[in-house]
Amino acid sequence: MGKKVTVVGAGFYGSTTAQRLAEYDIFDTVVLTDIIDGKPAGLALDLNQSRPIEGFETKVVGVSTGPNGEGYEAIEGSDVVVVTAGLPRKPGMSRMDLLEVNSKIVRQVAENIAKYAPNAVVIVVSNPVDEMTALAQLATQFPKNRVFGQAGVLDTARFTNSIAETLAVPVKSVKALTLGSHGDTMVPVPSRCTVDGKPLSDLLPAEKIEELVVRTRNGGAEVVALLKTGSAYYAPSAAAARMAKAVIEDSGEVLPVCAWVEGEYGISGVYLGVEAQVGRDGIKKVVEEKLTDTEIAGLKEAAEAVRAKQADVANL
Ligand code: APR
């Protein structure tokens, strides 16, 4: 059987993720689903019609699903499922304000994934992502390595872009990192940031670095405030598609992702943004690197914030 990826949710995040995955031309099939009648089929047709121009062969299939799981047969045999279903925030909202409404959606989606694609690797992006990832694991009962969330690849890209713009250097000369939660307790990691191999602290004063850290933490809200309706999707979809690619290619590359931690940095039993090797079974291994004491303290604070909320989602 050919390689197959499903994207659940055909809104802005889901449709751009499907587009990127199709244009990679590494899957045989991209399935795009939504509860809205006709929308995924329309988007799929539109994407397929772009194939002769963009030059890719991946087939996109759009399917509308019903309240009792009708239509979910289409996801059978998926190697990877990206969950984007759920509401985005409005200006002034925090991601946590979406907890209740998105819990119901993600639980229902996860139960159908468990039923129809029991061997899939699941990448969750619906917000608040740390909690939704924990919920998806609970609802699928998949091994924890097979369920992980997208946050760090995006937050790192935002941090990288700000550093590159500030120093007027190409983005590719910048190496940056963010860990922790995808929210107020995000932990951008300046000690792991370099520009052409030079430590960021040699190039910018501490106050300026702190400004970039704060901007990274508020990166999503900055876009939401400008858009007025909906939230970011170009950089987020690039991040999610990149993670799905790492899975299907079994690349083993180390990416910052929301993964289950079991003792790393002295933290256990919680989904949290850490670096991990990503491959065919999802998370191959969480990678623990040297951080400053302040950064480790930030990570522990993020872990406790997420742990409290993750306990709540079990009952939502
Ligand atoms: N199953 C499938 N799709 C669903 C379900 C469900 N049970 N419930 C809602 N959806 C669909 C909606 O119909 C909509 O098309 O999810 C889609 C969400 O799309 P948008 O409103 O455009 O939101 P988007 O920007 O794509 O963000 C999706 O990602 O970044 C996060 O915070 C963001 O939680 C949000 C998610």
Side-chain angles (χ1 to χ4, degrees), residues 8-14 33-36 39 65 72 83-89 95 98 102 105-106 108-109 125-128 230-233 236:
V8 180
F12 286 109
Y13 200 147
T33 77
D34 202 288
I35 50 170
I36 301 177
K39 186 175 184 186
T65 55
Y72 264 94
V83 179
T84 80
L87 268 56
R89 43 186 174 150
R95 293 184 181 91
L98 299 167
N102 282 354
I105 294 172
V106 169
Q108 191 248 356
V109 168
V125 313
S126 311
N127 275 315
S231 53
Y233 51 95

Side-chain angles (χ1 to χ4, degrees), residues 220-240:
E222 192 180 343
V223 176
V224 170
L226 288 165
L227 292 179
K228 311 279 193 308
T229 58
S231 53
Y233 51 95
Y234 285 117
S237 62

Side-chain angles (χ1 to χ4, degrees), residues 77-91:
S78 295
D79 301 288
V80 189
V81 179
V82 182
V83 179
T84 80
L87 268 56
R89 43 186 174 150
K90 299 194 174 75

Side-chain angles (χ1 to χ4, degrees), residues 71 134 170 179 244 249 262 274 278 313:
L179 302 173
E249 293 183 337
E262 204 77 80
V274 288
V278 177
V313 294

